[in-house]
Amino acid sequence: MEGIVGVCLCLAAARTVVGFGMDPGLHIDIITELDLVNMTIGVTQVSGLHNASKAFLFQAIDREIHATPHTSEKLIQLFRNKSEFTFLATLQQQASTSGVILSIRELEHSYFELESSGLRDEIRYHYRFNGKSRTEVFPYRLADGQWHKIALSLSASHLLLHVDCNRIYERVIDPPETNLTPGSNLWLGQRNRKHGFFKGILQDVKVIFMPNGYITQCPNLNRTCPTCSDFLSLVQGIMDLQELLAKMTAKLNYAEMRLSQLENCHCEKTCQVNGMIYRDKDSWAEDDYCRNCTCKNGVVECRRMACPPLNCSPDGLPVHIAGQCCKVCKSKCIYGGKVLAEGQKIVTKNCRECRNGILVKVTETCPPLNCSEKDYILPENQCCSVCRGHNFCAQGHACGENAECRNWNTRATCECKSGYVSVQGDSAYCEDIDECAAKMHYCHANTVCVNLPGSYRCDCVPGYIRVDDFSCTAFCEEGCRYGGSCIAPNKCACPSGFTGSHCEKDIDECALRTHTCWNDSACVNLEGGFDCLCPSGPSCTGDCVHEGSLKRNGQVWTLKKDRCSVCSCKDGKIFCRRTACDCQNPTVDFFCCPECDTRVTSQCLDQNGHKLYRSGDNWTYSCQQCRCLEGEVDCWPFACPTLSCDYTAISEGECCPRCVSDPCLADNVTYDIRKTCLDSYGITQLSGSVWTMLGSPCTTCQCKNGNVCCSVDLDCLHNN
């Protein structure tokens, strides 16, 4: 009875989409809305998979196919008002190419983007959650030159991916942001004006805002209830994941052990000054500059000698004396209520200078001035006038090496250079600010802050390479093969089916039945491969079967789905390898050997439009690994290791989450409604609940599994 009810419910869901038609207001036909029939650049109408709708070939890379403001506004409103939608498309993508099928974005922010990578055989869904970019990767070969139907359905945090009416992936993800900004726009067959160009044919591109929208593409998929087969497949998948987790945990433990050994190593950097070599932490004095210097990690840091505080008598003032590093007390002079320090001058009936507390008459011949009398200016503490705009700094104003002289109307002053601070309030003498010790730097994780005179730098810790001036990423010396990603020094996260320190090993092909042994031969698993052993008999010919066809012993051929690989049959066993690249050969295949492609049209601009890369070059950008291939940029997210902890957080400058013990610091929390909190009103709140603190309208609190986590809105404080 329960099974009958389940089937009825599933059929009812199907009828809402198929049997009773579809509300036109909940459906957008992208090709019709964009009026591709009248497009002349980059697209051509061609025959599609069927004749019921128009199909278009996307080929040129100078096209700009995006929605009008009216269509964009319609799309924005539908996304804001609906929590369920499905993207549908029928396509034929050129083999081994990469491109964006559909992108809804605002500047660099992708709210919805579906991408197919033929370079890595992946389907990628890009979206945003809590103001941060997210990417779901689905290993699948869509770019094979064949027709496919694809449907991506989202219902809050539940995701379904159908290809050719087969449900190939089902996941629970962070709920995507659907509150699109007014500046958002829809692009078809490209990410923006410069990147992500799709090459192939598109047909029946639609967005449907209703549950189970994929049924409009595949009416026979009239059930959503799982079968026993589905359940058994799920159990097997869980077992496989548990095995993979155990292997990854063992590798992570080994990596941590190796890192702990590296921490015991010590390399000392020295400093060389005026032909003298100083060891790390050595100190010396430079009397000429009144400085004490220290060698720190290969960098010389100097500070002005510390002077004792001066407690001058009421009749004295601290002044600088030539040949001495510190100020001394000298008697001051007073004239007409004005206080003068030692050496300062004033004009009375004649010129007088303060010397040992007495105004002494001095004879000073003033030079002729090359300006009108109305432009005469009397400098502070001087007897001779100068012309307006006079350069006081050029008169030898005494500013230390870390200070700069600045002209004013009647005087010159010293100001500390950027990265320096005045010594005891005297801007003529400035010392370096240690940004590292004062936590005034922007060095991210995996870096070490090194103080420099007037500045600082961020050095990569061992095992990491520079991404930019402030960030470093893990480096794997031998690289990560077959699409693996470097996640820690010499540690690769391998795709399914590969293992090894750099993903170089197809795992027990005999047990997985992925071997090519046939006839009377028996599969024998070897380290990193397998062998076929055949006893004596008429069937032991040494021939091989590959993709349903017979290959003779000794035969060599190119793979149909990968023109960059060649295979050979030897004694019943198939060997495959990448085609060797000879850049001197004029007929070299640039697709297989992008490093040989020196054509300007095959170069790529990075995402910021500032740096040019050659075909075959790789780089990192915004937690993604990117590659240039024949003028096209393909990027995929870093593969992060699985964490076995309750709470995780992503630090600034990092790409992968780390475990945290404090749930208030966690970015991603799985809420347990059994763990409650008591708010400031005395009310019991379920885990995940949010409330405003009593008596503090700018303080918001949330219950995270029994822990009360509060934060203050600074804008609210400022406005109130």
Side-chain angles (χ1 to χ4, degrees), residues 76 611 685 705 718:
I76 290 171
K611 191 170 183 180
Q685 300 281 357
N705 293 345
H718 178 73

Side-chain angles (χ1 to χ4, degrees), residues 588-604:
V588 65
D589 189 341
F590 288 151
F591 180 83
C592 301
C593 304
E595 64 270 22
C596 300
D597 190 355
T598 58
R599 297 174 298 177
V600 175
T601 56
S602 296
Q603 296 176 337
C604 304

Side-chain angles (χ1 to χ4, degrees), residues 561-572:
K561 295 183 179 179
D562 184 4
R563 73 191 197 203
C564 301
S565 296
V566 293
C567 297
S568 60
C569 174
K570 180 176 175 59
D571 299 330

Side-chain angles (χ1 to χ4, degrees), residues 317-513:
L317 287 174
V319 294
H320 283 289
I321 301 297
Q324 297 189 28
C325 294
C326 298
K327 291 182 178 180
V328 296
C329 292
K330 285 288 187 178
S331 298
K332 63 184 179 182
C333 302
I334 300 177
Y335 181 83
K338 184 176 181 180
V339 178
L340 287 86
E342 178 79 9
Q344 292 183 337
K345 298 176 182 177
I346 190 172
V347 176
T348 56
K349 294 181 179 179
N350 43 43
C351 183
R352 294 182 179 273
E353 181 179 341
C354 181
R355 295 179 184 174
N356 296 321
I358 301 174
L359 285 174
V360 179
K361 179 181 177 182
V362 294
T363 301
E364 186 171 358
T365 303
C366 296
L369 300 179
N370 188 21
C371 59
S372 61
E373 189 172 347
K374 66 182 180 65
D375 289 327
Y376 285 4
I377 293 175
L378 182 64
E380 292 182 9
N381 304 316
Q382 298 293 326
C383 293
C384 292
S385 296
V386 296
C387 292
R388 189 183 304 277
H390 180 74
N391 187 356
F392 296 102
C393 293
Q395 291 181 320
H397 193 73
C399 293
E401 60 176 337
N402 298 324
E404 296 176 329
C405 183
R406 181 174 180 181
N407 279 302
W408 299 89
N409 287 335
T410 61
R411 61 192 175 96
T413 60
C414 298
E415 294 183 357
C416 293
K417 297 179 181 178
S418 176
Y420 293 87
V421 66
S422 62
V423 178
Q424 296 180 354
D426 187 356
S427 296
Y429 299 94
C430 306
E431 63 182 4
D432 174 52
I433 300 174
D434 189 341
E435 294 87 353
C436 302
K439 304 293 184 182
M440 297 170 60
H441 60 85
Y442 295 98
C443 296
H444 295 157
N446 308 323
T447 65
V448 175
C449 180
V450 178
N451 189 55
L452 300 175
S455 182
Y456 67 95
R457 72 167 183 262
C458 305
D459 286 353
C460 296
V461 299
Y464 290 80
I465 57 174
R466 185 169 301 284
V467 175
D468 52 37
D469 290 343
F470 308 103
S471 307
C472 299
T473 188
F475 174 66
C476 296
E477 294 180 3
E478 299 185 33
C480 299
R481 302 182 186 177
Y482 303 109
S485 300
C486 185
I487 58 172
N490 291 321
K491 178 177 176 60
C492 297
C494 301
S496 177
F498 294 91
T499 186
S501 60
H502 46 280
C503 308
E504 76 282 7
K505 299 177 181 179
D506 267 5
I507 302 168
D508 197 350
E509 297 83 354
C510 301
L512 295 176
R513 297 186 178 276

